[in-house]
């Protein structure tokens, strides 16, 4: 399995002979962040800029040669949600928010601190997305997502980020060690991220390294076990940011691909 990971991600830093991994991993985009409002409780806030970044990822995976299929229903639902919200957001006024699930409610104003905006447009169903996290089942994204313009969204999202100043104490003086003051930023629990992983065929990558039989064997092993590895990754929990001892950075990873062409 260790050889498979090397072939999946590529050679380690400092290795004398380097070789590529089969995976191109894009950054994760925070698409919807839970933000408390004074009028509707927690709402999942996003902006046209974040939605457009997700759409660029969808375009990337759709032009890739997808030979394996994982949960295409989830992919289709995310794509539909992004396309509908982006289409409606083009006409979003400066004093409005796009609130698909709240158009028919009596309270047609959303308030965040000093920011007040009118709401508009019809409900969007997001069953598959709601299955990704327990919080989404309690308050599903379809009825609680709102799109605000990028200018206002920057302030709302900025206010939802928790910032903590941390220090490291000198073991002997019990005072702050020199240079050991830093800050950490935490996104709220339940934030929905979307990223992209583009995979090359391991055997195709191996053809350019035929003179190194030991490295080629890593790719061949990975080719045989790739489906098994992807199944293990799908649905697993990761800790990112190195703060597992205080319960920070826990993320549930779910794989989804476009339907195969012609299906």
């Amino acid at each position: 399995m260790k050889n498979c990971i090397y072939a999946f991600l590529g050679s380690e830093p400092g290795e004398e002979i380097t070789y590529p991994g089969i995976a191109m991993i894009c950054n994760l985009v925070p698409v919807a962040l839970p933000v408390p409002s004074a009028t509707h409780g927690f709402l999942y806030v996003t902006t046209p800029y974040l939605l457009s970044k997700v759409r660029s990822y969808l375009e990337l995976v759709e032009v890739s040669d997808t030979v394996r299929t994982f949960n295409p229903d989830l992919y289709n639902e995310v794509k539909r949600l992004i396309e509908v919200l982006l289409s409606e957001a083009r006409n979003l006024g400066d004093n409005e928010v796009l609130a698909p699930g709240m158009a028919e409610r009596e309270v047609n104003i959303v308030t965040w601190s000093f920011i007040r905006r009118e709401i508009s447009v019809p409900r969007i169903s997001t069953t598959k997305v709601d299955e990704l996290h327990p919080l989404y089942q309690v308050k599903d994204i379809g009825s609680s997502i709102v799109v605000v313009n990028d200018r206002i969204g920057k302030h709302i999202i900025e206010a939802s980020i928790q910032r903590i100043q941390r220090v490291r104490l000198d073991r002997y003086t019990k005072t702050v060690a020199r240079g050991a003051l830093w800050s950490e930023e935490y996104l709220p629990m339940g934030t929905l991220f979307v990223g992209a992983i583009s995979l090359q065929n391991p055997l195709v990558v191996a053809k350019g390294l035929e003179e190194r039989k030991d490295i080629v064997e890593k790719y061949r092993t990975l080719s045989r076990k790739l489906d098994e590895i992807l199944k293990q990754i799908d649905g697993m929990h990761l800790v990112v940011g190195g703060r597992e001892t205080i319960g920070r950075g826990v993320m549930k990873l779910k794989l989804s691909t476009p339907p195969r062409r012609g299906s």
Side-chain angles (χ1 to χ4, degrees):
M1 187 62 72
K2 184 177 181 180
N3 283 341
C4 289
I5 294 174
Y6 286 154
F8 192 88
L9 297 176
S11 55
E12 288 283 340
E15 287 193 41
E16 184 176 346
I17 298 179
T18 61
Y19 50 91
I22 69 163
M24 181 185 73
I25 304 176
C26 299
N27 289 334
L28 291 171
V29 178
V31 185
L33 291 81
V35 179
S37 72
T39 47
H40 297 79
F42 275 91
L43 297 172
Y44 299 103
V45 176
T46 188
T47 70
Y49 173 73
L50 295 176
L51 294 170
S52 63
K53 289 191 68 172
V54 175
R55 186 170 63 177
S56 69
Y57 283 175
L58 300 181
E59 293 173 351
L60 171 65
V61 297
E62 287 183 356
V63 299
S64 301
D65 186 15
T66 303
V67 295
R68 293 169 174 82
T69 302
F70 280 88
N71 197 0
D73 291 341
L74 173 60
Y75 177 90
N76 287 336
E77 187 170 286
V78 171
K79 180 180 179 180
R80 177 180 57 86
L81 176 64
I82 299 301
E83 289 180 344
V84 170
L85 293 179
L86 269 177
S87 175
E88 295 290 343
R90 290 193 185 98
N91 301 317
L92 191 61
D94 193 50
N95 293 318
E96 293 180 313
V97 298
L98 193 63
M102 299 181 290
E104 297 179 357
R105 296 187 183 182
E106 292 182 2
V107 180
N108 63 351
I109 296 290
V110 180
T111 303
W112 293 280
S113 184
F114 60 91
I115 299 173
R116 291 169 56 87
R117 294 293 182 269
E118 296 182 359
I119 62 178
S120 61
V121 306
R123 178 182 172 81
I124 299 175
S125 174
T126 55
T127 306
K128 293 294 181 182
V129 177
D130 297 337
E131 295 172 358
L132 296 180
H133 193 281
L135 288 184
Y136 306 157
Q137 299 167 28
V138 174
K139 191 163 189 177
D140 62 278
I141 287 183
S143 64
S144 304
I145 194 166
V146 296
V147 185
V148 298
N149 67 34
D150 294 315
R151 184 175 63 82
I152 299 299
K154 177 182 69 173
H155 299 291
I156 295 175
I157 292 174
E158 186 77 11
S160 74
I161 298 175
Q162 181 183 11
R163 290 180 174 82
I164 297 178
Q165 303 296 325
R166 299 179 67 89
V167 298
R168 177 171 56 83
L169 298 182
D170 183 279
R171 181 184 297 273
Y172 302 103
T173 65
K174 303 305 179 185
T175 58
V176 177
R178 181 179 293 274
L181 169 65
W182 74 95
S183 63
E184 296 176 353
E185 295 183 350
Y186 299 129
L187 292 174
M189 180 181 179
T191 298
L192 174 64
F193 292 88
V194 172
I197 302 177
S198 178
L199 300 179
Q200 301 181 70
N201 187 320
L203 299 180
V204 173
V205 178
K207 286 183 178 180
L209 300 163
E210 292 178 351
E211 71 281 0
R212 289 299 308 270
K213 294 183 179 180
D214 56 330
I215 296 177
V216 170
E217 185 56 35
K218 293 179 181 181
Y219 292 108
R220 290 175 177 168
T221 303
L222 177 60
S223 180
R224 294 191 298 269
K225 296 187 176 183
L226 185 55
D227 282 335
E228 176 187 343
I229 292 172
L230 293 176
K231 287 178 182 178
Q232 291 180 5
I233 294 175
D234 185 42
M236 75 182 299
H237 286 77
L238 305 176
V239 179
V240 295
R243 290 296 170 190
E244 60 265 40
T245 56
I246 56 175
R248 303 292 190 182
V250 180
M251 177 183 296
K252 182 178 181 180
L253 182 63
K254 190 68 179 175
L255 298 182
S256 180
T257 64
R260 290 189 181 183
R261 294 186 180 95
S263 62

